[in-house]
Amino acid sequence: MGYKMGCSFSEHGKTPSTAAPVLKKEGCCKCKEECCKCKECEAPKEGIEFYYFDMPLRGEGIRLLLRHACVSFVDHRVKMADWPALKGKWELQQMPVIIWNGKPFAQSCAILGFLGKKYGYLPSSPEENYEITCSMNIFEEIVTKCFMAFSEMSPLPEAVRKGLQGDVVDKDIPLLMGMVEEKLKAKENKEFLVGNQLTVADFYIMGIYQSLSMMPIKHVFEKSYPLFISWFNKRMAQVPPPAPPKPKLYYFDMPARGEMLRLLLRHAKVNFEDVRIKMPEWPAMKNNFPMKQLPVIEAQGKQFFQTDAMMHSLSLKYGYLPLEPMKYSKVIEACGIVKDFFEAVSYTHLRAHETLRYLVCRLLLEKKKH
């Protein structure tokens, strides 16, 4: 089903809570629970930014933890082509990186430990913390061996990779996954890998297995390790999906036709990105938009244009347009009068969409004015 303007803005337009929620033993999504008021648990005032490649692997566990904790963050999914220009920004020149109050934190397990402490996913028991580290190390070894042997991104030559694949499937995976399966079999509560509540180990291993399931060995895990697969499916079902990106409103850095949309969205408390385009930038950008004109609203991968159509739809959605026929007619009539006046006296539209015809009109108007 396609995205419909005026129907879904409220679903992803409101800013989520940044307060840390209370951890529940059964591990359900905590956004439905009463939030903790402890200052230590609050998200930083400057917000959270997370940088990792557009893939699961070692970064996905961090994304899952933040989503489960209902913490608002900006998920920067870095394309491989963009990485060389970006890596010099950070001391270790690697990802994942999380920016917390303007300070970068690196190393996936260290970041998970930091967030686990902040949001209640690290137990106080030394024995359980040992089990967490042990479980994470097992999956780090599994994903490293599988990546080298099966991933097209492996640095090894294809002949070497193929030579490793038999040992990985017949020896390495059975040894390591056998330990995990036996551990789950021995547990009374099989919903969590360690203890009786969600820990950073659950999030880390969920992220790692998402990468493993993208390799041509997914069937090996599904066939031989049913308890692990059952744990994975239950855990993933209780993590909220990623928040859709904010709607973007594209218009020039001026009021005119775009400002009425900005004002409506702001008054309706819709969280949107206000992209203000400078005139020198417009010629290189105009082919990216329908009819090569602005304003345009971009939401869920679709572009919406024509000011009147967008204003009409958004006004209906947010209660700014009466449904009673006579009142409705009066509102549309007033809008039409303002629009006629605006088009008669404004040069803005002419300059923003400069064609030969518009150029002649503008020069004639300017000549008449002077």
Side-chain angles (χ1 to χ4, degrees):
M1 181 181 294
Y3 180 87
K4 294 185 178 180
M5 174 73 75
C7 297
S8 302
F9 267 28
S10 60
E11 296 173 12
H12 63 283
K14 306 298 182 183
T15 304
S17 169
T18 57
V22 176
L23 181 63
K24 289 193 71 183
K25 279 189 176 182
E26 56 266 33
C28 64
C29 173
K30 300 179 293 180
C31 59
K32 299 176 183 177
E33 304 303 319
E34 182 180 356
C35 286
C36 172
K37 303 301 181 183
C38 173
K39 292 291 183 184
E40 180 184 332
C41 295
E42 291 180 357
K45 292 180 180 178
E46 294 185 21
I48 300 172
E49 293 186 66
F50 179 65
Y51 290 84
Y52 193 62
F53 300 109
D54 191 14
M55 60 177 68
L57 211 57
R58 293 173 177 86
E60 193 65 18
I62 298 168
R63 295 181 181 125
L64 293 171
L65 186 154
L66 290 170
R67 280 161 45 194
H68 190 273
C70 303
V71 175
S72 176
F73 70 103
V74 181
D75 187 5
H76 297 283
R77 294 179 175 257
V78 180
K79 305 294 183 185
M80 284 294 182
D82 299 331
W83 173 232
L86 189 62
K87 66 188 302 183
K89 288 182 61 176
W90 301 303
E91 183 179 2
L92 296 177
Q93 298 190 5
Q94 63 182 30
M95 294 190 293
V97 167
I98 192 167
I99 309 296
W100 185 280
N101 267 340
K103 181 180 178 181
F105 292 79
Q107 296 287 332
S108 55
C109 292
I111 295 170
L112 280 168
F114 169 75
L115 295 174
K117 191 72 173 176
K118 284 279 184 184
Y119 295 110
Y121 297 111
L122 271 182
S124 57
S125 163
E127 291 81 3
E128 288 189 353
N129 275 283
Y130 164 78
E131 291 292 335
I132 287 171
T133 304
C134 186
S135 299
M136 292 168 69
N137 286 346
I138 287 174
F139 272 85
E140 178 66 25
E141 189 170 351
I142 291 173
V143 77
T144 299
K145 290 179 180 294
C146 292
F147 181 86
M148 289 296 183
F150 290 97
S151 174
E152 294 182 357
M153 297 172 63
S154 171
L156 299 177
E158 186 177 358
V160 177
R161 287 196 294 115
K162 289 186 175 180
L164 294 174
Q165 290 174 2
D167 282 347
V168 170
V169 171
D170 297 333
K171 297 179 181 179
D172 296 325
I173 292 178
L175 173 65
L176 297 168
M177 283 303 303
M179 296 167 58
V180 176
E181 194 76 0
E182 287 300 317
K183 183 178 175 181
L184 282 170
K185 188 180 295 185
K187 278 175 62 54
E188 183 177 343
N189 186 347
K190 295 177 172 53
E191 292 193 14
F192 311 103
L193 289 180
V194 177
N196 293 309
Q197 69 176 45
L198 273 172
T199 69
V200 295
D202 293 276
F203 295 114
Y204 182 77
I205 292 168
M206 280 191 281
I208 291 295
Y209 183 68
Q210 285 188 38
S211 287
L212 292 170
S213 65
M214 295 166 66
M215 300 181 193
I217 49 171
K218 181 180 179 181
H219 65 283
V220 175
F221 292 88
E222 292 179 335
K223 179 180 179 181
S224 303
Y225 309 106
L227 293 179
F228 172 78
I229 297 300
S230 175
W231 162 84
F232 174 79
N233 291 334
K234 287 179 181 178
R235 293 277 58 84
M236 286 301 300
Q238 294 187 344
V239 176
K246 293 188 295 185
K248 292 182 180 181
L249 170 60
Y250 293 88
Y251 195 63
F252 302 105
D253 191 14
M254 60 178 67
R257 288 177 171 79
E259 194 66 16
M260 59 188 79
L261 291 163
R262 293 179 184 129
L263 292 171
L264 186 153
L265 292 171
R266 278 159 44 194
H267 191 272
K269 294 182 172 58
V270 175
N271 186 17
F272 71 102
E273 185 175 345
D274 186 5
V275 183
R276 294 175 177 254
I277 298 172
K278 306 293 184 183
M279 281 297 180
E281 301 170 344
W282 175 237
M285 297 179 65
K286 65 193 306 180
N287 289 332
N288 297 328
F289 299 103
M291 298 181 68
K292 301 180 182 181
Q293 65 183 31
L294 298 176
V296 166
I297 289 180
E298 191 172 80
Q300 292 192 346
K302 295 184 180 295
Q303 292 180 322
F304 303 89
F305 57 103
Q306 293 295 331
T307 310
D308 292 349
M310 290 187 287
M311 283 294 296
H312 195 109
S313 180
L314 292 172
S315 296
L316 283 172
K317 170 63 181 177
Y318 294 110
Y320 299 119
L321 197 59
L323 299 179
E324 196 274 316
M326 187 59 68
K327 292 180 180 179
Y328 176 92
S329 176
K330 287 295 182 183
V331 170
I332 298 301
E333 178 184 280
C335 290
I337 292 171
V338 172
K339 180 181 177 183
D340 289 344
F341 175 77
F342 175 81
E343 290 184 347
V345 300
S346 174
Y347 301 171
T348 305
H349 180 72
L350 301 178
R351 290 196 181 99
H353 308 278
E354 198 81 285
T355 63
L356 181 59
R357 180 167 63 90
Y358 286 153
L359 175 61
V360 171
C361 292
R362 178 164 63 84
L363 292 175
L364 288 172
L365 284 170
E366 288 176 350
K367 182 179 179 180
K368 182 177 180 181
K369 181 179 179 181
H370 295 93

